Amino acid sequence: MLSRVFILTLALAQPLLAAEPAPLFSGTALDSGEHIRLADYRGKVVLVDFWASWCPPCLESLPAYDRLRRELGSSGFEVIAINVDEETDDGVQFLLRNPVSFPVLADPDGAIGIPYGVRSLPRSFLLNRDGEIVTVYKRFRPGDEAGMQHDITRLLTAPD
């Protein structure tokens, strides 16, 4: 079921395109309580992923992104997930059953999602080391992570 906040996000969001600087954000990780700032990830290749517990493709994408992060993290790849559930506890409960190795922030009011132009889920943004959006993934199906891994590896091996 779509939350009231997600419906509002749909109405206000203007889609971001590749080659734009990623909007900066900060928040508290749901599992660790650590303060996370996107600006602190400059110099790394980052996937910013928006998801919700009621979105079936999102629930398949998080474990896939966790595998990518575990495989490529030592090379400078990071994932930050943004949970858009209206009730933050819904996202927390999912993560208790399906833990991931990257921070997950709550965005129940759309403060992060609106500047990113998130209009559907899942929606992911691949950022280069300079914090620029290079690819926007507008869906997820099993097997999509192979193409994503190619995109990530290309950015990780690109000359500075």
Side-chain angles (χ1 to χ4, degrees):
M1 172 166 81
L2 295 177
S3 71
R4 292 184 309 274
V5 172
F6 190 69
I7 292 169
L8 176 63
T9 300
L10 288 174
L12 296 175
Q14 296 299 315
L16 286 180
L17 304 173
E20 291 188 45
L24 296 177
F25 59 82
S26 65
T28 303
L30 291 177
D31 62 344
S32 68
E34 178 184 2
H35 187 72
I36 303 296
R37 293 174 358 121
L38 179 60
D40 293 339
Y41 287 73
R42 186 62 57 94
K44 296 182 181 279
V45 173
V46 179
L47 182 73
V48 177
D49 176 58
F50 292 84
W51 69 283
S53 64
W54 45 261
C55 165
C58 299
L59 306 183
E60 293 181 6
S61 66
L62 283 179
Y65 299 160
D66 192 49
R67 287 189 297 276
L68 285 172
R69 198 243 165 237
R70 289 179 189 274
E71 185 175 329
L72 301 172
S74 63
S75 299
F77 173 63
E78 294 293 341
V79 177
I80 304 172
I82 312 297
N83 176 260
V84 300
D85 282 315
E86 188 171 300
E87 298 295 329
T88 300
D89 193 53
D90 294 341
V92 170
Q93 292 305 312
F94 174 81
L95 292 170
L96 287 173
R97 293 185 308 274
N98 305 280
V100 293
S101 63
F102 48 81
V104 178
L105 309 181
D107 187 30
D109 60 1
I112 301 171
I114 290 171
Y116 274 82
V118 175
R119 298 182 61 85
S120 62
L121 295 175
R123 181 66 51 107
S124 302
F125 299 83
L126 184 60
L127 314 182
N128 65 17
R129 295 179 189 275
D130 294 325
E132 299 164 331
I133 299 168
V134 294
T135 307
V136 179
Y137 302 102
K138 298 179 180 177
R139 63 175 175 78
F140 182 86
R141 289 184 293 199
D144 284 352
E145 62 270 24
M148 295 176 85
Q149 183 171 3
H150 173 77
D151 296 343
I152 294 162
T153 301
R154 185 175 37 92
L155 289 173
L156 290 171
T157 58
D160 289 334

